[in-house]
Amino acid sequence: QKEVEQDPGPLSVPEGAIVSLNCTYSNSAFQYFMWYRQYSRKGPELLMYTYSSGNKEDGRFTAQVDKSSKYISLFIRDSQPSDSATYLCASTDGGNTPLVFGKGTRLSVIA
Amino acid sequence: GAGVSQTPSNKVTEKGKYVELRCDPISGHTALYWYRQSLGQGPEFLIYFQGTGAADDSGLPNDRFFAVRPEGSVSTLKIQRTERGDSAVYLCASSSDPTAYNEQFFGPGTRLTVL
């Protein structure tokens, strides 16, 4: 079992829909949780960053972490065609330990 | 430059050849990371430098892979006796602080194809 599991999709939604992307993780020591967006043939760019459990909102994006169930979510409101990309979740226990990424979910928002 | 740059953007080589991939981090960033992203997968950690030294090389898959950062800035990932399974996108990232996960910036990657 990988430490971070993520459904690779693909996921296709109409413009304006609310998108829910999810990951689960197995390492109880994970404290830091990130969501990255990766456009085709580009490097990942950080979208959301949270520490421990709770919610964080930034514009149309909301990240949720539930450490009791080891569940990480990213919600995108009013999705736009420009949101079409692969979304990667990542976690780490902090210190100098490296990030552990999920497989990524490919999202297409259809105009 | 403003971001992390990687050269070449694409590299095609034949099985058994030697390749070098270069990463130019953001100026002043002391931490540098190499990841490998295979098709349909997320990035997988290879090696982390703090300054000139490799602080963690636990992700290197075998002794054909080696990386250096002699002056604490540019880094080169070296792959000997390439195999078809080495085909992937090799990503580099840098940060000013290894614990500042919200400040780890990725380059565009080098797409390596081993024929």
Side-chain angles (χ1 to χ4, degrees), chain A residues 2 8 32 34 36 38 41-46 49 88 92-104, chain B residues 10 33 35 37 40-45 48 56 58 91 98-109 111:
Chain A
K2 287 196 68 174
Y32 299 86
M34 276 68 67
Y36 287 82
Q38 187 174 27
R41 296 187 174 262
K42 302 288 188 184
E45 57 175 327
L46 183 66
Y49 163 75
L88 297 153
T92 180
D93 59 12
N96 292 332
T97 53
L99 297 178
V100 179
F101 283 85
K103 281 187 173 183
Chain B
N10 285 282
Y33 310 81
Y35 294 83
Q37 187 172 23
Q41 303 294 316
E44 291 184 310
F45 170 76
Y48 152 56
D56 183 352
S58 62
L91 294 163
T99 63
Y101 302 107
N102 58 333
E103 295 181 359
Q104 190 175 123
F105 298 98
F106 282 82
R111 185 174 298 269

Side-chain angles (χ1 to χ4, degrees), chain A residues 67-103:
Chain A
K67 291 191 71 183
S68 63
S69 59
K70 299 190 180 69
Y71 202 79
I72 315 164
S73 300
L74 177 70
F75 299 95
I76 307 174
R77 291 182 297 281
D78 187 25
S79 55
Q80 303 294 309
S82 59
D83 295 328
S84 298
T86 295
Y87 289 80
L88 297 153
C89 60
S91 301
T92 180
D93 59 12
N96 292 332
T97 53
L99 297 178
V100 179
F101 283 85
K103 281 187 173 183

Side-chain angles (χ1 to χ4, degrees), chain A residues 16-45:
Chain A
I18 296 174
V19 176
S20 172
L21 303 169
N22 308 291
C23 291
T24 58
Y25 65 93
S26 58
N27 190 335
S28 300
F30 283 163
Q31 296 280 353
Y32 299 86
F33 305 92
M34 276 68 67
W35 283 95
Y36 287 82
R37 179 174 60 195
Q38 187 174 27
Y39 290 114
S40 181
R41 296 187 174 262
K42 302 288 188 184
E45 57 175 327

Side-chain angles (χ1 to χ4, degrees), chain B residues 30-104:
Chain B
T30 57
L32 185 146
Y33 310 81
W34 283 98
Y35 294 83
R36 178 168 69 175
Q37 187 172 23
S38 300
L39 191 64
Q41 303 294 316
E44 291 184 310
F45 170 76
L46 294 176
I47 186 169
Y48 152 56
F49 286 92
Q50 181 60 39
T52 60
D56 183 352
D57 64 358
S58 62
L60 295 178
N62 52 59
D63 61 6
R64 296 187 297 105
F65 288 74
F66 189 70
V68 295
R69 195 185 185 198
E71 297 177 357
S73 177
V74 170
S75 177
T76 305
L77 179 66
K78 308 180 181 198
I79 311 174
Q80 299 178 319
R81 305 183 303 280
T82 52
E83 299 178 357
R84 292 194 180 89
D86 298 336
S87 296
V89 175
Y90 289 82
L91 294 163
C92 176
S94 72
S95 71
S96 58
D97 179 345
T99 63
Y101 302 107
N102 58 333
E103 295 181 359
Q104 190 175 123

